[in-house]
Amino acid sequence: LLRWWKVVLGERLAQSHIRDVRLALFDTLATLSPAGRQRRSRGAVMLRFMGDAQALRDWAAQGAPILVAAVLAGAALLAGLALLAASLAALAAAWFALAGVGMAMTLPPLARRVREARLRQAYLAANVHDRIAAVPVMQSAAQAPRERRRLARQIDRLTEAMVLRARAQAHHRWWLDLALSGLALSVLVVWSLGALARGEWSSAFEGVGLLVGALGLIGLLAMPLRRVGRALEQRVAAEVARDRIADFLADAEPAPPPTSAPLPQQPLLRLAAVPLPLRPLHPLA
């Protein structure tokens, strides 16, 4: 029930948010002069409305709820391990701290890769949109092969940027996977050392409940914790999109001042003595 509630309310929150964002973008677009519109391609403007707004939607609908669920799962894991053995809780806290430091170090490179990928997407969207509007001219001038080569180069640059972004994402997520696997291995080592300290492996079965409980907690809460990396990636993408949207909103131009001379309440236009082509003897008044 909580998962269903999270999906529904997350989507409602996200749609309410991006509705206001898109209306603000349209209000800015409506104020632009011809010179202001020429500074931005139509493809780039469409990317603000769709791609960047979608990034904000993903963070509000998925990233933030996932991050909250992960925080609760981490707290539950620490509390459960503390009930089993305080040393296991200390190990978990140490591994989580290591993962947090590592993920924080990978966020700036990830943000750079996301910005570069967004820029390549904007170039490609602008080129495709402009080529769609100029298809008749391109066909009549026999420029299709040249435009195809240009599009292929842009696609190759976008592909490279997306692969580099995926590499940064994998590096970012690796730290949490390292922490979870390291925690599980630490639990096994602590249990084995305790069995050796007691002198008999047969007596180790007395603490098998501790081992099963600790590994069971880690396995149960590993999935929401692994989603932290994805949630932070969506946060980075939302920040990049927000910067792009703020840059577009900064282009808003002031409305022209109203004329000093007031218009009449009921303006009247008269045409006198204008002959009609089909009724030459009946002028229009």
Side-chain angles (χ1 to χ4, degrees):
L1 286 177
L2 287 175
R3 288 180 179 177
W4 174 84
W5 189 50
K6 178 193 72 171
V7 172
V8 174
L9 287 189
E11 188 64 32
R12 188 185 300 277
L13 171 65
Q15 293 301 326
S16 174
H17 177 47
I18 64 174
R19 176 183 182 274
D20 297 337
V21 171
R22 284 171 174 158
L23 289 178
L25 288 171
F26 179 81
D27 293 339
T28 300
L29 181 64
T31 65
L32 296 182
S33 62
R37 292 193 298 270
Q38 289 178 357
R39 288 196 300 267
R40 295 183 178 272
S41 65
R42 295 181 180 180
V45 173
M46 287 299 299
L47 194 61
R48 300 289 89 77
F49 276 87
M50 303 306 298
D52 292 335
Q54 183 67 23
L56 295 179
R57 177 260 170 201
D58 291 340
W59 162 246
Q62 301 175 8
I66 285 175
L67 201 58
V68 171
V71 171
L72 295 177
L77 179 58
L78 289 177
L81 292 178
L83 289 176
L84 293 175
S87 59
L88 298 183
L91 283 174
W95 279 110
F96 287 165
L98 176 64
V101 172
M103 295 176 77
M105 293 172 57
T106 58
L107 281 179
L110 177 60
R112 289 195 299 269
R113 298 304 181 186
V114 170
R115 291 181 187 276
E116 184 178 354
R118 287 275 179 180
L119 185 61
R120 297 301 179 186
Q121 287 176 340
Y123 288 158
L124 182 61
N127 185 25
V128 171
H129 194 280
D130 294 341
R131 295 291 77 76
I132 291 175
V135 166
V137 178
M138 181 178 63
Q139 291 174 342
S140 61
Q143 296 297 327
R146 187 188 69 178
E147 295 300 332
R148 188 180 187 278
R149 290 192 297 269
R150 180 185 179 188
L151 181 63
R153 289 194 299 268
Q154 288 185 334
I155 293 175
D156 291 340
R157 296 190 188 102
L158 176 60
T159 301
E160 183 181 359
M162 295 297 287
V163 171
L164 292 176
R165 189 187 72 170
R167 183 177 298 173
Q169 289 175 343
H171 191 199
H172 175 71
R173 298 177 186 181
W174 176 81
W175 283 97
L176 195 55
D177 289 332
L178 174 67
L180 290 172
S181 57
L183 177 59
L185 182 61
S186 300
V187 170
L188 290 173
V189 170
V190 169
W191 180 76
S192 301
L193 291 178
L196 288 176
R198 285 189 292 269
E200 296 182 1
W201 279 99
S202 58
S203 63
F205 289 100
E206 299 175 0
V208 71
L210 173 66
L211 177 64
V212 172
L215 294 181
L217 276 175
I218 296 172
L220 180 65
L221 300 175
M223 184 59 68
L225 288 173
R226 280 197 173 96
R227 294 174 181 171
V228 172
R230 181 182 176 186
L232 293 178
E233 292 164 15
Q234 291 173 333
R235 173 64 179 174
V236 169
E239 289 179 351
V240 174
R242 185 184 59 187
D243 293 342
R244 291 290 187 183
I245 290 175
D247 181 57
F248 181 83
L249 294 178
D251 287 344
E253 300 178 6
T259 57
S260 57
L263 296 176
Q265 295 297 327
Q266 295 182 352
L268 178 64
L269 176 65
R270 286 189 176 182
L271 299 177
V274 179
L276 296 179
L278 300 181
R279 303 177 65 189
L281 302 178
H282 296 79
L284 174 65

